[in-house]
Amino acid sequence: MAEVDWEEPFCAESSNCFRIGTDIEGNAYIAVAGQEDRFLVDSRDALRAMVEGIKAGKADHLL
């Protein structure tokens, strides 16, 4: 696996904190903070759209 450059954790109110990261090939990763060895990988745009939906309250139960 390529080395992932993780962003600072995002923590919503009373929810898990999660992090988004990228590798040198342009793949994007998302993981619960502290559990970066267990992640989802997709395009950065797809993961950013998912996070924006969660932040907007559309799917906060997913995390």
Side-chain angles (χ1 to χ4, degrees):
M1 183 179 99
E3 185 174 331
V4 178
D5 181 26
W6 293 102
E7 295 179 5
E8 291 297 315
F10 170 79
C11 301
E13 292 181 28
S14 68
S15 296
N16 290 325
C17 297
F18 59 92
R19 299 178 83 178
I20 294 177
T22 54
D23 65 19
I24 60 172
E25 296 176 2
N27 297 313
Y29 300 78
I30 188 167
V32 173
Q35 298 180 20
E36 287 82 0
D37 59 328
R38 297 174 50 201
F39 55 83
L40 295 174
V41 62
D42 204 331
S43 72
R44 186 169 181 84
D45 290 336
L47 293 179
R48 178 84 44 204
M50 181 182 74
V51 170
E52 288 174 356
I54 292 167
K55 288 170 62 176
K58 296 179 182 176
D60 63 347
H61 62 282
L62 293 177
L63 292 176

